[in-house]
Short mmCIF file of all heavy atoms in Angstrom, two decimals:
data_model
loop_
_atom_site.label_atom_id
_atom_site.label_comp_id
_atom_site.label_asym_id
_atom_site.label_seq_id
_atom_site.Cartn_x
_atom_site.Cartn_y
_atom_site.Cartn_z
N SER A 292 -23.47 6.77 2.57
CA SER A 292 -23.40 7.12 3.99
C SER A 292 -24.79 7.34 4.56
O SER A 292 -25.10 6.90 5.68
CB SER A 292 -22.55 8.37 4.18
OG SER A 292 -21.20 8.14 3.83
N ALA A 293 -25.64 8.01 3.79
CA ALA A 293 -27.01 8.28 4.24
C ALA A 293 -27.78 6.99 4.46
O ALA A 293 -28.59 6.88 5.39
CB ALA A 293 -27.72 9.18 3.25
N ILE A 294 -27.55 6.00 3.59
CA ILE A 294 -28.21 4.70 3.75
C ILE A 294 -27.80 4.05 5.07
O ILE A 294 -28.59 3.38 5.74
CB ILE A 294 -27.88 3.78 2.56
CG1 ILE A 294 -28.49 4.36 1.28
CG2 ILE A 294 -28.39 2.36 2.80
CD1 ILE A 294 -28.10 3.61 0.02
N TYR A 295 -26.55 4.28 5.47
CA TYR A 295 -26.07 3.76 6.76
C TYR A 295 -26.53 4.63 7.93
O TYR A 295 -26.20 4.34 9.08
CB TYR A 295 -24.55 3.69 6.75
CG TYR A 295 -23.97 2.49 6.05
CD1 TYR A 295 -23.47 2.57 4.76
CD2 TYR A 295 -23.90 1.25 6.70
CE1 TYR A 295 -22.92 1.47 4.12
CE2 TYR A 295 -23.36 0.15 6.08
CZ TYR A 295 -22.86 0.26 4.78
OH TYR A 295 -22.32 -0.84 4.15
N GLY A 296 -27.23 5.73 7.64
CA GLY A 296 -27.67 6.62 8.70
C GLY A 296 -26.64 7.65 9.10
O GLY A 296 -26.74 8.27 10.17
N VAL A 297 -25.64 7.87 8.24
CA VAL A 297 -24.57 8.83 8.51
C VAL A 297 -24.75 10.04 7.60
O VAL A 297 -24.82 9.90 6.37
CB VAL A 297 -23.18 8.19 8.26
CG1 VAL A 297 -22.07 9.23 8.41
CG2 VAL A 297 -22.95 7.03 9.23
N THR A 298 -24.81 11.23 8.18
CA THR A 298 -25.11 12.43 7.41
C THR A 298 -23.88 13.23 7.02
O THR A 298 -23.92 14.02 6.08
CB THR A 298 -26.05 13.36 8.20
OG1 THR A 298 -25.43 13.72 9.44
CG2 THR A 298 -27.38 12.66 8.48
N GLU A 299 -22.76 13.04 7.70
CA GLU A 299 -21.56 13.82 7.43
C GLU A 299 -20.92 13.39 6.09
O GLU A 299 -21.00 12.24 5.69
CB GLU A 299 -20.53 13.65 8.55
CG GLU A 299 -21.00 14.18 9.90
CD GLU A 299 -21.14 15.68 9.90
OE1 GLU A 299 -20.40 16.35 9.16
OE2 GLU A 299 -22.00 16.19 10.66
N THR A 300 -20.27 14.36 5.43
CA THR A 300 -19.60 14.08 4.16
C THR A 300 -18.40 13.16 4.39
O THR A 300 -17.61 13.39 5.32
CB THR A 300 -19.12 15.40 3.51
OG1 THR A 300 -20.24 16.24 3.29
CG2 THR A 300 -18.41 15.12 2.19
N PRO A 301 -18.22 12.14 3.56
CA PRO A 301 -17.06 11.24 3.71
C PRO A 301 -15.74 11.98 3.50
O PRO A 301 -15.68 12.97 2.76
CB PRO A 301 -17.29 10.20 2.61
CG PRO A 301 -18.74 10.27 2.30
CD PRO A 301 -19.14 11.68 2.51
N ASN A 302 -14.69 11.49 4.14
CA ASN A 302 -13.36 12.09 4.02
C ASN A 302 -12.36 11.05 3.54
O ASN A 302 -12.31 9.94 4.06
CB ASN A 302 -12.89 12.63 5.38
CG ASN A 302 -13.75 13.77 5.89
OD1 ASN A 302 -14.03 14.70 5.15
ND2 ASN A 302 -14.14 13.69 7.15
N ILE A 303 -11.54 11.45 2.57
CA ILE A 303 -10.45 10.61 2.08
C ILE A 303 -9.15 11.28 2.47
O ILE A 303 -8.84 12.38 1.99
CB ILE A 303 -10.52 10.41 0.55
CG1 ILE A 303 -11.95 10.10 0.10
CG2 ILE A 303 -9.54 9.32 0.13
CD1 ILE A 303 -12.55 8.85 0.69
N TYR A 304 -8.38 10.65 3.35
CA TYR A 304 -7.11 11.21 3.81
C TYR A 304 -5.96 10.48 3.12
O TYR A 304 -5.84 9.26 3.22
CB TYR A 304 -6.98 11.05 5.32
CG TYR A 304 -8.05 11.78 6.10
CD1 TYR A 304 -9.14 11.10 6.63
CD2 TYR A 304 -7.97 13.16 6.30
CE1 TYR A 304 -10.13 11.77 7.35
CE2 TYR A 304 -8.95 13.83 7.02
CZ TYR A 304 -10.02 13.13 7.54
OH TYR A 304 -11.01 13.80 8.25
N VAL A 305 -5.12 11.24 2.42
CA VAL A 305 -4.00 10.67 1.68
C VAL A 305 -2.69 11.09 2.35
O VAL A 305 -2.44 12.29 2.52
CB VAL A 305 -4.00 11.14 0.22
CG1 VAL A 305 -2.81 10.53 -0.53
CG2 VAL A 305 -5.31 10.78 -0.47
#
Side-chain angles (χ1 to χ4, degrees):
S292 294
I294 295 173
Y295 280 100
V297 174
T298 59
E299 296 293 330
T300 301
N302 295 312
I303 315 300
Y304 299 101
V305 180

